[in-house]
């Protein structure tokens, strides 16, 4: 088991010892609209006030543009919690965000057929 303050509190047998929503102080809604493929990147500004270790880990991961889903995967936190943490960092000026580079229509038949073909090849 790792000591408090050494990153996420993990136990080899039990897993995470702190509930994910404790990390976001129980908040479930970010103050900034983010989706899974939104790109976030550190601005270089030093955040003011207290940030938890997960905030620091997220900020470290965002030195280069990265998708919200990728940050969540590296933090091993639910996407909803990760969005709240990232929104905190945007609110204090430490992160900037931009929508995904592509603007496909999610109901575009050609796109849906390409996804279906890819899934069939995986099975």
């Amino acid at each position: 088991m790792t000591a408090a303050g050494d990153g996420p509190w993990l136990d080899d047998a039990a897993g995470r010892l702190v509930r994910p929503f404790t990390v976001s102080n129980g908040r479930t809604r970010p103050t900034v609209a983010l989706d899974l493929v939104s790109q976030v990147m550190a601005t270089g500004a030093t955040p003011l006030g207290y940030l938890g270790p997960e905030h620091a880990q997220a900020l470290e991961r965002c030195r280069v543009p990265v998708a919200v889903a990728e940050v969540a995967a590296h933090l091993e936190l639910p996407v909803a919690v990760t969005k709240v943490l990232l929104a905190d960092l945007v609110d204090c000026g430490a992160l900037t965000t931009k929508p995904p580079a592509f603007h496909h229509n999610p109901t575009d038949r050609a796109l849906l057929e390409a996804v279906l073909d890819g899934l069939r090849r995986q099975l």
Side-chain angles (χ1 to χ4, degrees):
M1 183 164 61
T2 59
D6 290 345
W9 295 344
L10 300 174
D11 180 279
D12 292 335
R16 182 179 283 276
L17 298 176
V18 175
R19 298 264 186 211
F21 288 97
T22 303
V23 172
S24 63
N25 294 324
R27 295 172 295 146
T28 59
R29 296 185 186 217
T31 57
V32 176
L34 297 168
D35 62 30
L36 291 175
V37 292
S38 293
Q39 298 285 305
V40 289
M41 184 175 173
T43 62
T46 303
L48 300 174
Y50 171 77
L51 294 178
E54 288 82 3
H55 285 95
Q57 291 170 345
L59 191 55
E60 178 68 24
R61 177 63 53 191
C62 297
R63 283 197 222 163
V64 297
V66 63
V68 169
E70 189 173 340
V71 176
H74 285 285
L75 294 179
E76 297 179 354
L77 288 171
V79 173
V81 173
T82 302
K83 286 180 180 181
V84 171
L85 296 176
L86 294 175
D88 290 346
L89 292 167
V90 169
D91 290 344
C92 73
L95 281 184
T96 186
T97 182
K98 66 178 184 172
F102 60 91
H103 300 286
H104 292 294
N105 177 359
T107 59
D108 177 36
R109 184 177 179 95
L111 175 63
L112 295 174
E113 287 176 354
V115 169
L116 182 59
D117 289 342
L119 290 171
R120 285 183 179 146
R121 281 192 294 263
Q122 295 295 320
L123 299 176

